């Protein structure tokens, strides 16, 4: 499972061509600017949507998905709570310099387990 999550993250990072924001950078963004919390929320929504699209693309290519929405509710407004819940539940698994995407894929994998 971790290998699949890492592979998905690597593919998503390569596709965007941009360097992923770390947990520390996201916290700094939230605290440092007037609209920092809003910017961080937009970033989390982008990460969520990017990971979801990545999983859907891998499924179209016949690969086993890392997480499955399977008709359950998953909306952009849920990005922050998914991220924060994952960090709270598994705080000992994440270091500040790890990418936000890694936390989000963990959140999605734990909240949207594949049942089929």
């Amino acid at each position: 499972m971790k290998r699949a999550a890492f592979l998905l993250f690597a593919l998503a990072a390569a596709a965007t061509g941009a360097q992923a924001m770390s947990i520390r950078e996201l916290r700094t963004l939230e605290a440092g600017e007037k609209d920092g919390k809003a910017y961080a929320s937009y970033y989390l929504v982008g990460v969520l949507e990017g990971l979801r699209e990545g999983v859907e693309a891998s499924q179209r290519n016949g690969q086993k998905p890392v997480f499955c929405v399977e008709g359950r509710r998953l909306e952009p407004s849920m990005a922050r709570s998914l991220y924060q819940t994952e960090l709270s539940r598994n705080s000992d698994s994440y270091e500040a310099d790890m990418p936000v995407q890694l936390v989000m894929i963990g959140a999605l994998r734990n909240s949207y387990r594949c049942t089929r």
Side-chain angles (χ1 to χ4, degrees), residues 42-64:
Y42 295 140
Y43 184 78
L44 290 171
V45 168
V47 170
L48 173 72
E49 291 178 345
L51 291 172
R52 187 172 185 176
E53 178 57 37
V55 163
E56 290 171 0
S58 68
Q59 283 181 295
R60 286 190 297 270
N61 292 327
Q63 298 170 327
K64 184 178 178 186

Side-chain angles (χ1 to χ4, degrees), residues 3 9 14 16 21-23 34 39-40 48 51 64 78 86-87 90-91 101-102 106 115-116:
R3 183 176 174 198
F9 168 73
T16 63
M21 189 180 294
S22 70
I23 297 167
K34 176 183 158 196
Y39 295 151
L48 173 72
L51 291 172
K64 184 178 178 186
M78 299 166 67
E86 177 66 14
L87 276 181
N90 300 301
S91 61
Q101 285 87 338
L102 193 62
T115 58
R116 296 182 234 178

Side-chain angles (χ1 to χ4, degrees), residues 74-90:
L74 178 58
E75 298 173 2
S77 62
M78 299 166 67
R80 177 170 290 283
S81 66
L82 283 164
Y83 174 79
Q84 290 176 329
T85 300
E86 177 66 14
L87 276 181
S88 297
R89 286 185 183 157
N90 300 301

